[in-house]
Amino acid sequence: MTVARTWAVALSGLRGDLVEVEADVSSQTPEFSIIGLPDKALGEAGRRVRNACTNRGLDLPKRRITVNLSPASLPKRGSGFDVAIAVAALSTSVAMDAARVATTVHIGELGLDGRLRPVPGVLPSVIAAQRSGHSRVVVPPANAAEARLVEGMEVLAASCLAEVVRWHGGSSDAAELVAVEAPASAGTDENPLDLADVVGQPEAVDALVVAAAGGHHILMSGPPGAGKTMLARRLPGILPPLDDEAALSVASVRSLAGDTVTRLSRTPPFESPHHGATAAALIGGGSGVVRPGAIARASDGVLFLDEGGEFPASVLDALRQPLENGTIEVHRSGVAATYPARFQLVIATNPCPCGQYGVPGGACECPPQAIRRYTRRLSGPLLDRIDIDLRLQRVSSARQEGDARVVSSADARGRVAEARARAARRWSSTAWRRNADVPGTWLRGPAAPPPEVLRPLDVALRRGALTLRGYDRLLRVAWTVADLAGHDRLRLDDVGRALYLRQGAGA
């Protein structure tokens, strides 16, 4: 008997691998076996498929059905293979268009009544199908708008298994499959949080613009009520809109996390996990299927750790590897997944547990040992990866002073875009576009400024006040300061401004 074939997708992080689903009928003994490294949820697909076929009046052979998932060495997880398995099994007895079945990717879980239920990760699955040369995919209706975000793919939404069989040429009284139209094009999202709302913190606003222009990490310390959270939440609003590739990546991570995705958002994501979050919540994890954590969800956007001194030291140290590599690798028993981690880190912390240490007019009652323990939560290696250290004090006036310069998000976003365009032109012959991405070997080599400009950094390095990593980060900030000032070459005052931002601006 001819073996029936169709396709499904196995996900490992954002990477999807096409899986050929083969079905064959052999003996007269009724049995349904699935081979090819299925997990427990996938191994139970045989029962769901039999009940779905029975309840939809579809003729599944009452014989031994063997379903092979190829390549057999690739682990497969989840219930998203149900529809592909059912179509392949039915093709062994129901007259269907074999060529159409063999060129269609099927994604979705089956209910016992034959309905197609949504599954997470449809967007990265459709992207993987397209990259493998396929142009047609069948998905549950709840995932259809998400799947249609991939341009050039024919997306067919089926509410039940009988509709899929009918579309493939099988006999069924079900309605036709619905070809889903593309959702409305998503432009730049409106961000209601405006930088103009920030009162009495001009140094902090300037530092935030520098961070946005260069993609730099920032630490904000100060008493409660100084405006740390207010500033951090306005950072995504002054970042450039996401391009197509970044928007798809952000939407794919959201899809894997189980969120509903119906359009491509152009606003950089903003993630703010609670200080009680575990390391697994930050880096990702789960049983069987590895879900993305806050680090991956913040990729191409902002990861904000409010009350940074309250996070366990082990959780904060989990940030060090993704900050350097731009990716996060999650390993669980028999499972490994890699997610993007190209985020801007913003940490806000109080000066002590009560928040009053060193505050004019404040009364701190924390013992010295508690203050030292609190501040040591932020380890030296983590602080060495911070580009800008911003010290804030409480605002002394509820209104903008008459001569104070009010900076709106639109104005700041324009300055950021100009600075990034200048940096992109400077690094056009390289693989980098943001100053924060340029390696130190390049900054100290082909792009090195004259020795007299580097003298302050060299002195700090010799005195041990800087590590070489900190030296490179100061150079990146200095180039961003130069870009915002419209300088074509790095100047001594640019380096001085970078040192000021590194050593506690506003203190």
Side-chain angles (χ1 to χ4, degrees):
M1 179 174 291
T2 303
V3 176
R5 294 179 174 88
T6 191
W7 296 91
V9 181
L11 289 174
S12 177
L14 284 187
R15 191 194 73 206
D17 295 294
L18 266 290
V19 174
E20 188 176 31
V21 181
E22 303 174 302
D24 189 23
V25 177
S26 54
S27 68
Q28 297 296 326
T29 306
E31 188 178 351
F32 202 117
S33 60
I34 300 173
I35 58 177
L37 284 185
D39 69 347
K40 184 173 179 58
L42 180 49
E44 294 171 344
R47 300 180 186 177
R48 292 192 294 272
V49 169
R50 278 205 179 277
N51 283 72
C53 291
T54 300
N55 291 325
R56 284 292 166 181
L58 298 170
D59 186 19
L60 193 68
K62 295 180 173 61
R63 299 165 63 185
R64 181 185 179 88
I65 302 174
T66 301
V67 175
N68 180 46
L69 308 177
S70 180
S73 59
L74 179 70
K76 294 93 179 172
R77 299 176 179 86
S79 57
F81 291 80
D82 286 5
V83 178
I85 291 173
V87 169
L90 285 167
S91 295
T92 61
S93 61
V94 177
M96 286 193 269
D97 187 333
R100 185 175 294 178
V101 170
T103 56
T104 303
V105 178
H106 298 84
I107 303 169
E109 177 183 331
L110 282 177
L112 296 182
D113 58 357
R115 288 180 299 169
L116 268 65
R117 292 177 171 172
V119 292
V122 166
L123 181 55
S125 296
V126 177
I127 292 173
Q130 185 186 56
R131 289 176 177 170
S132 298
H134 292 268
S135 60
R136 186 186 305 116
V137 61
V138 173
V139 298
N143 295 128
E146 175 183 343
R148 196 62 185 84
L149 293 174
V150 183
E151 294 183 1
M153 288 294 289
E154 181 185 2
V155 178
L156 301 161
S159 61
C160 71
L161 184 58
E163 291 183 40
V164 183
V165 171
R166 178 183 177 86
W167 187 81
H168 284 309
S171 176
S172 172
D173 294 330
E176 293 283 356
L177 282 169
V178 180
V180 182
E181 297 297 326
S185 176
T188 303
D189 298 2
E190 292 294 331
N191 191 331
L193 303 178
D194 199 295
L195 206 56
D197 299 334
V198 179
V199 177
Q201 297 285 10
E203 284 286 351
V205 170
D206 287 344
L208 203 69
V209 172
V210 173
H216 304 296
H217 309 306
I218 184 170
L219 169 66
M220 296 187 290
S221 57
K228 302 185 294 295
T229 302
M230 187 178 191
L231 284 162
R233 291 190 175 277
R234 280 152 179 79
L235 178 55
I238 65 176
L239 292 174
L242 299 177
D243 58 21
D244 290 344
E245 183 180 357
L248 270 176
S249 177
V250 169
S252 295
V253 171
R254 288 178 53 202
S255 174
L256 282 168
D259 297 341
T260 301
V261 179
T262 58
R263 63 194 297 266
L264 289 183
S265 173
R266 303 294 177 171
T267 299
F270 182 88
E271 288 291 324
S272 181
H274 188 266
H275 57 75
T278 63
L282 204 62
I283 66 176
S287 177
V289 179
V290 180
R291 299 295 183 207
I295 288 176
R297 294 196 301 272
S299 187
D300 291 303
V302 178
L303 177 63
F304 176 48
L305 303 185
D306 201 3
E307 305 294 344
E310 299 290 343
F311 280 82
S314 60
V315 174
L316 293 173
D317 285 339
L319 294 168
R320 288 156 54 180
Q321 181 258 342
L323 282 174
E324 286 296 313
N325 299 340
T327 59
I328 179 71
E329 297 180 7
V330 185
H331 294 270
R332 293 294 182 266
S333 178
V335 185
T338 300
Y339 293 106
R342 300 178 299 270
F343 59 88
Q344 274 187 256
L345 177 64
V346 180
I347 301 179
T349 184
N350 294 329
C352 68
C354 75
Q356 302 301 318
Y357 180 70
V359 178
C364 177
E365 300 179 354
C366 303
Q369 185 177 3
I371 297 175
R372 287 195 298 271
R373 185 169 57 248
Y374 187 82
T375 56
R376 285 175 182 171
R377 293 280 182 87
L378 302 177
S379 65
L382 177 60
L383 292 176
D384 203 32
R385 290 165 168 82
I386 299 295
D387 304 321
I388 298 173
D389 184 359
L390 184 61
R391 312 287 176 84
L392 285 82
Q393 295 295 336
R394 285 179 178 151
V395 178
S396 57
S397 174
R399 299 177 182 83
Q400 295 280 12
E401 300 296 335
D403 58 348
R405 181 173 60 91
V406 177
V407 180
S408 68
S409 290
D411 294 338
R413 191 163 51 246
R415 291 186 63 203
V416 168
E418 291 177 5
R420 289 207 176 193
R422 184 179 293 272
R425 288 194 298 270
R426 180 173 57 253
W427 310 121
S428 59
S429 61
T430 71
W432 314 294
R433 293 296 176 265
R434 297 188 314 171
N435 292 326
D437 300 328
V438 183
T441 52
W442 190 272
L443 293 169
R444 289 179 272 108
E452 58 270 18
V453 175
L454 293 177
R455 188 170 294 116
L457 302 185
D458 293 332
V459 171
L461 187 64
R462 284 195 296 270
R463 290 171 49 197
L466 271 182
T467 65
L468 189 58
R469 181 189 287 119
Y471 186 104
D472 294 340
R473 290 193 175 279
L474 274 168
L475 273 178
R476 296 183 186 113
V477 175
W479 273 116
T480 302
V481 172
D483 289 333
L484 286 167
H487 299 161
D488 293 327
R489 298 176 181 271
L490 203 59
R491 302 181 183 181
L492 189 60
D493 56 339
D494 298 326
V495 175
R497 176 67 176 169
L499 277 167
Y500 173 70
L501 291 171
R502 170 81 175 186
Q503 296 173 355

